[in-house]
Amino acid sequence: MNEQEAKIRIEQLREDIRENSRRYYVDNAPSISDYEFDQLMHELERLEAEFPQFDSPDSPTHRVGSDLDAPMGANAESGARQGFVQRPHRYPMLSLSNTYSVGEIEEFAARADKSLDGIPFSYSCELKFDGTAICLTYRNGRLVQALTRGDGIQGDDVTENVRRIAGIPQQLKGDFPPEFEIRGEILMPYAAFDALNREREAQEEPPFANPRNAASGSLKLVDPEEVAHRGLICTLYHIPAESVTFDSHSQALDAAASWGLPVSEDRRICHDISEIKAYIDHWDQARKFLPYATDGIVIKINELACQRALGYTAKSPRWAVAYKFKAEQACTELLSIDYQVGRTGAVTPVANLAPVQLSGTLVKRATLNNADQMALLDIRVGDWVFVEKGGEIIPKITGIDPAHRTEGAVPPVFPEVCPDCGTPLVKAEAEAKWFCPNQDGCPMQIKGRLLHFVSRKAMDILAGEMTVEQFFTAGLARTPADLYDISKYQLLSLEGWQERSAQRFLDSLDASKQVPFERVLFALGIRYVGETTAKGVARHFGGIDALIAATREQLLEVGDVGDVIAGSIFDFLHDPVQLEQIARLRAAGLRFDGAGQDAAVSDVLAGKTVVISGNFSISRERMKDLIVAHGGKAGSSVSGATAFLLAGTKPGPEKLKKCEKLGIPVISEEEFRAMLPETADSGSSPEGEKNLPRSAAETSAGIEELTLF
Ligand code: IVH
């Protein structure tokens, strides 16, 4: 690689790493696996070492990924608090250097040996817990502060939430120092994670991708009482040497355990590399039986004097290293391959698998990404394939077992024409995917765009896959703007529709006219413009007119918008077909301006935390928006801090019981709406009934192209 190529690649890697770091730490919704992320980081480290002229203190290789609440509050979980108080860490909260190779652990040991020049030392080997880091401060034995890692220099103050986590003592016992810090991990055990995701799916909320994201999202909830119900646990593994006077790390942790703090018992002192290897081998298997997630082993020099002598780099201690396990895999038979056409026309091969258990879930389908990936894997129907979960909920096929190949099995043929409309597929040079170019005529694309438009994170209109199918077949809707022209009479002529369901659909259309511009922009389905980008762009320009008038260069001024996204937005907004759509949607009353000025509609609920339960005339998400728009906070579990329970049809019996016990008022949707000043959004109060069914594709976070479940 020459200097110019290295410079370009380094820039690209830094951008990729920053974007993925934000998805991981801030959104709690990673889109690549930890392994893939670590590979990007390692490639960048290698290139910066080889081309030091391009190294920079700003590079992600020298900085700790930040979980600090983003100013835009881009957190995957609704109800997650925006704007925790940030406080400085007394000692920087660093990361660990990591490797997937035992050889590099040997190199770590050799380096330590050399630097310590004959001073005897041992290793403390521990599990690497896969949760979210926490730093606790105890003063006179009382828990006084809990901070997240944040950017390593300052963290979010989550003390009140941490007080609700089982096993973290408020008061220590025994002979503790007057003041000290102790660090560790907040974890969500698999059982609590499964229960939470089942509940979220039942409530039409997007499930968490993994227990780590769930733990991190839960730690930043609005209501500490709700945190108490999330089943979080804590394990502590590090006391900064500066804050205590022990000889070794293991002594410090043993002492912490004696003060009543939760410390893992699965630590071992190892004396050489063969003992470390035995520890790794044992836990690589045994971890599958632990009730919580671990992603590796941490090897620390145990003697604190040696730790001090070795010191730190800007990002991690020189006295510790993490050995990471590869993601869990399952092996199963490939039964067939489907080719799905997404709303952008991209054709994605999807594998149908013999059902197999993987990290706690039953996997039946997996993505094969694109034709190149299929060729690379040299896959055949009937093969036994390895399935892995990456950062996303959708599993992927990472390899095949050549020993299992059926004789005579032939490679699958990627279709040359669209499996839905028969149009010959095309492929742009820079793209890995084949596309159906029949944007305006391909039924899958048309229905995909409608589904995206009505989805919960976009316009939140009560229509699912079946409804969109019905509208399309009956010729009632091909574009989002058509939805606003549908009459009650037309709805009632469709099979299965009755007065009440028709009215509820029309009410949800009406309510969508209050959806803020940033979500309308997301709903338009501009390629590469996800929720976060839409938010940034909407707030930057304030409204559609300024956005349409923007040059490509002006679009590039928005954080996170690069050439590709700017080009996509620009082209979309200069396409006469799209401009006509926008004009029709605008005429229908949708919000195309006012981004960033979403002041509360009223303050009648100021200072009140309202818990909602059951089903309403609008979706739960919109109901929460309504509470916030009127100055309130939306909590989801009842506590002494709850102002009232807003109960729809079929409210949760547990919540009702708790209200009765605590004397908290329960009010109906009708009573609630009567409390609100008359506005466009609070006026209608149709009879409540169960929400229309929605598909998983609509409710899942950010899965735009595939309907895998
Ligand atoms: S020690 C100065 N020990 O892994 C660094 N960290 O990927 C002290 N982690 O930031 C950290 N298990 O959040 C340590 N047994 C363990 C750990 C552990 C998990 C986390 C920690 C760290 C991250 C690095």
Side-chain angles (χ1 to χ4, degrees):
M1 186 178 281
N2 67 31
E3 207 175 336
Q4 188 53 22
E5 286 165 347
K7 185 165 185 260
I8 293 172
R9 181 69 187 143
I10 285 175
E11 276 311 311
Q12 219 174 36
L13 284 165
R14 286 181 185 158
E15 209 175 299
D16 272 11
I17 290 171
R18 287 193 186 110
E19 168 65 12
N20 283 298
S21 187
R22 188 184 55 71
R23 289 180 189 207
Y24 182 96
Y25 285 110
V26 180
D27 295 352
N28 286 320
S31 58
I32 62 173
S33 69
D34 289 4
Y35 182 73
E36 286 161 327
F37 183 84
D38 291 337
Q39 295 314 307
L40 294 177
M41 193 67 101
H42 289 164
E43 186 185 345
L44 181 57
E45 278 165 2
R46 271 196 307 274
L47 283 175
E48 286 173 348
E50 201 181 323
F51 297 92
Q53 64 273 38
F54 302 130
D55 200 357
S56 137
D58 273 357
S59 170
T61 53
H62 304 303
R63 298 173 79 104
V64 172
S66 175
D67 69 27
L68 290 179
D69 237 354
M72 287 186 350
N75 196 310
E77 181 170 23
S78 59
R81 187 189 296 196
Q82 295 176 18
F84 279 89
V85 176
Q86 282 157 20
R87 301 192 196 283
H89 288 295
R90 181 177 292 183
Y91 315 106
M93 220 169 152
L94 300 178
S95 182
L96 286 171
S97 65
N98 69 53
T99 176
Y100 289 81
S101 116
V102 174
E104 288 186 14
I105 301 293
E106 286 174 8
E107 286 169 22
F108 162 79
R111 263 197 316 274
D113 235 351
K114 193 166 166 221
S115 305
L116 294 170
D117 198 20
I119 305 173
F121 66 90
S122 56
Y123 304 93
S124 172
C125 291
E126 303 165 10
L127 292 170
K128 185 170 183 313
F129 301 97
D130 195 10
T132 184
I134 195 75
C135 176
L136 309 179
T137 303
Y138 282 87
R139 194 173 300 134
N140 300 322
R142 284 205 66 74
L143 174 65
V144 290
Q145 181 173 274
L147 300 182
T148 66
R149 181 162 73 170
D151 59 6
I153 304 299
Q154 51 177 3
D156 280 335
D157 186 334
V158 289
T159 313
E160 289 317 305
N161 283 354
V162 163
R163 289 192 198 285
R164 308 301 198 284
I165 296 176
I168 299 183
Q170 303 287 322
Q171 175 66 52
L172 301 180
K173 55 183 181 161
D175 189 17
F176 45 79
E179 179 162 351
F180 68 99
E181 275 192 20
I182 186 161
R183 295 172 177 182
E185 208 84 354
I186 304 291
L187 302 164
M188 184 174 286
Y190 293 122
F193 170 70
D194 288 343
L196 175 63
N197 266 357
R198 273 201 303 274
E199 194 184 310
R200 286 174 73 83
E201 272 163 11
Q203 305 279 19
E204 297 195 344
E205 292 183 25
F208 282 108
N210 54 49
R212 192 207 70 80
N213 300 141
S216 167
S218 301
L219 196 58
K220 295 201 174 180
L221 281 167
V222 173
D223 181 357
E225 281 311 308
E226 200 176 333
V227 180
H229 293 99
R230 288 281 169 106
L232 295 171
I233 57 168
C234 175
T235 181
L236 300 167
Y237 46 62
H238 177 59
I239 303 188
E242 298 85 342
S243 76
V244 281
T245 53
F246 293 100
D247 289 338
S248 71
H249 165 73
S250 55
Q251 277 175 8
L253 289 191
D254 289 345
S258 77
W259 306 328
L261 288 161
V263 174
S264 167
E265 288 183 355
D266 297 320
R267 298 173 282 134
R268 288 289 170 276
I269 298 297
C270 294
H271 298 91
D272 55 34
I273 193 77
S274 67
E275 288 182 12
I276 296 176
K277 278 185 196 164
Y279 184 85
I280 290 177
D281 288 345
H282 170 75
W283 282 108
D284 199 2
Q285 293 309 315
R287 72 187 184 112
K288 293 175 188 154
F289 304 100
L290 290 171
Y292 44 73
T294 54
D295 60 344
I297 297 297
V298 184
I299 300 134
K300 301 173 182 169
I301 306 288
N302 191 33
E303 289 68 21
L304 295 185
C306 295
Q307 286 193 5
R308 285 188 201 102
L310 290 168
Y312 294 84
T313 69
K315 198 177 165 184
S316 53
R318 289 199 185 86
W319 45 261
V321 66
Y323 170 84
K324 291 184 77 172
F325 299 126
K326 283 250 180 93
E328 253 184 84
Q329 283 191 333
C331 193
T332 187
E333 191 183 351
L334 171 63
L335 302 176
S336 61
I337 300 174
D338 289 340
Y339 296 89
Q340 284 192 0
V341 188
R343 66 178 160 89
T344 61
V347 179
T348 304
V350 176
N352 294 309
L353 305 168
V356 64
Q357 279 289 337
L358 177 63
S359 308
T361 47
L362 193 67
V363 173
K364 295 181 199 147
R365 307 192 83 194
T367 176
L368 278 159
N369 287 325
N370 53 49
D372 293 349
Q373 176 72 5
M374 282 167 63
L376 205 70
L377 291 168
D378 186 25
I379 203 164
R380 318 270 156 100
V381 170
D383 277 351
W384 281 69
V385 296
F386 295 104
V387 199
E388 227 175 73
K389 279 193 194 164
E392 292 170 320
I393 299 177
I394 305 174
K396 59 182 170 195
I397 293 186
T398 54
I400 61 158
D401 181 357
H404 258 93
R405 172 144 300 166
T406 319
E407 220 178 296
V410 286
V413 183
F414 200 92
E416 288 179 3
V417 297
C418 173
D420 200 40
C421 69
T423 306
L425 300 180
V426 294
K427 187 169 164 209
E429 220 173 275
E431 301 269 6
K433 292 212 169 217
W434 286 89
F435 283 83
C436 166
N438 184 16
Q439 269 187 22
D440 302 328
C442 175
M444 284 296 273
Q445 291 185 57
I446 296 171
K447 287 184 273 186
R449 286 195 295 267
L450 286 171
L451 266 173
H452 170 73
F453 184 82
V454 299
S455 68
R456 213 170 50 109
K457 296 212 160 193
M459 302 307 288
D460 198 15
I461 293 166
L462 289 179
E465 234 169 282
M466 268 167 52
T467 306
V468 164
E469 183 72 54
Q470 269 186 318
F471 290 172
F472 178 79
T473 315
L476 292 182
R478 288 175 72 88
T479 69
D482 295 341
L483 295 170
Y484 293 88
D485 292 339
I486 298 178
S487 67
K488 192 186 263 186
Y489 175 76
Q490 286 172 317
L491 290 172
L492 292 175
S493 69
L494 299 173
E495 200 188 323
W497 285 75
Q498 280 157 10
E499 173 66 27
R500 278 207 301 193
S501 47
Q503 190 55 52
R504 290 191 65 238
F505 170 75
L506 293 173
D507 286 336
S508 79
L509 268 187
D510 231 24
S512 76
K513 295 175 188 169
Q514 299 305 315
V515 163
F517 173 51
E518 56 201 40
R519 272 170 56 196
V520 176
L521 188 61
F522 170 61
L524 292 179
I526 306 173
R527 209 156 162 223
Y528 309 120
V529 178
E531 255 186 295
T532 315
T533 306
K535 210 178 254 185
V537 171
R539 291 187 182 199
H540 187 91
F541 291 98
I544 197 77
D545 293 326
L547 186 56
I548 292 174
T551 61
R552 284 174 202 261
E553 289 66 35
Q554 287 167 330
L555 287 165
L556 286 169
E557 285 166 17
V558 184
D560 277 357
V561 171
D563 286 337
V564 177
I565 303 180
S568 172
I569 299 175
F570 187 87
D571 292 347
F572 188 96
L573 295 176
H574 288 82
D575 176 347
V577 176
Q578 303 301 352
L579 289 175
E580 194 230 10
Q581 265 297 303
I582 292 172
R584 282 180 63 201
L585 291 169
R586 211 173 190 177
L590 268 60
R591 289 179 61 180
F592 275 96
D593 50 27
Q597 309 157 13
D598 283 334
V601 177
S602 85
D603 59 0
V604 291
L605 299 174
K608 294 195 165 87
T609 300
V610 180
V611 174
I612 68 174
S613 184
N615 299 306
F616 300 91
S617 63
I618 54 176
S619 73
R620 293 167 53 83
E621 180 106 332
R622 295 280 302 132
M623 198 47 114
K624 286 183 191 168
D625 287 348
L626 200 55
I627 293 166
V628 174
H630 289 276
K633 277 187 191 166
S636 57
S637 77
V638 177
S639 71
T642 307
F644 57 85
L645 178 78
L646 170 53
T649 51
K650 297 196 188 146
E654 285 302 314
K655 284 189 175 138
L656 290 175
K657 227 190 280 168
K658 189 128 186 231
C659 283
E660 202 182 315
K661 197 170 132 207
L662 298 174
I664 288 172
V666 178
I667 71 165
S668 69
E669 179 175 347
E670 215 174 359
E671 289 167 319
F672 173 68
R673 285 182 182 275
M675 289 168 65
L676 307 179
E678 198 61 32
T679 68
D681 207 15
S682 60
S684 63
S685 176
E687 295 161 77
E689 66 173 25
K690 202 169 159 20
N691 281 348
L692 293 175
R694 294 170 155 257
S695 72
E698 288 169 282
T699 57
S700 58
I703 302 171
E704 297 178 348
E705 294 288 337
L706 295 175
T707 48
L708 282 174
F709 301 100

